C-alpha cells in the first residue's frame, strides 16, 4: 500500500486511479491518515465480508436466543469453571 499526501493526491489523481487497480492508496493530511482509495473489486470484497459478518451475527443471535430458551433453569446458576469442567469430563 502506498501513502501520499492530500496535495500529492490532488496533483496525481489520475495516476492514483491507475495505482488503486493494483493496490490500495492511503491519503494523509498533516501526517495523519485521512482516507483510503481502493479498487471497485476491493470495495466489493469489503461489502461481501460485511454482509457475511452480519449474517453470521444474526445466526449467532438466533442460536443464542434458542439456547437460552431451551436451557434448563439450573443452567443459569452454573459458573464458567463448572461448565469448563463438564465439557472436559465429556471428552
Amino acid at each position: 500500500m502506498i501513502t501520499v499526501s492530500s496535495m500529492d493526491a490532488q496533483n496525481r489523481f489520475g495516476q492514483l486511479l491507475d495505482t488503486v487497480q493494483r493496490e490500495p492508496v492511503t491519503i494523509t493530511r498533516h501526517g495523519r491518515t485521512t482516507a483510503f482509495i481502493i479498487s471497485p473489486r476491493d470495495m466489493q470484497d469489503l461489502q461481501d465480508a460485511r454482509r457475511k459478518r452480519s449474517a453470521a451475527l444474526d445466526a449467532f443471535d438466533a442460536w443464542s436466543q434458542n439456547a437460552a430458551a431451551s436451557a434448563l433453569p439450573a443452567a443459569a446458576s452454573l459458573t464458567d469453571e463448572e461448565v469448563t469442567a463438564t465439557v472436559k469430563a465429556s471428552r
Side-chain angles (χ1 to χ4, degrees):
M1 181 179 319
I2 68 167
T3 300
V4 297
S5 70
S6 59
M7 184 63 71
D8 285 342
Q10 289 175 350
N11 294 333
R12 301 179 13 210
F13 189 69
Q15 181 184 9
L16 291 178
L17 291 177
D18 293 335
T19 301
V20 299
Q21 299 309 311
R22 295 182 303 278
E23 64 181 317
V25 175
T26 302
I27 309 294
T28 62
R29 179 180 283 164
H30 304 293
R32 294 190 344 227
T33 299
T34 57
F36 295 97
I37 303 175
I38 61 172
S39 70
R41 183 177 179 194
D42 287 344
M43 186 64 188
Q44 185 64 48
D45 290 347
L46 285 171
Q47 289 173 329
D48 289 346
R50 224 181 227 182
R51 277 190 288 276
K52 288 178 184 176
R53 178 182 176 269
S54 180
L57 287 173
D58 290 345
F60 178 76
D61 285 343
W63 175 86
S64 181
Q65 289 174 4
N66 186 34
S70 63
L72 297 175
S77 65
L78 291 173
T79 66
D80 287 344
E81 292 79 18
E82 291 170 327
V83 171
T84 301
T86 303
V87 169
K88 286 183 179 181
S90 69
R91 290 185 180 168

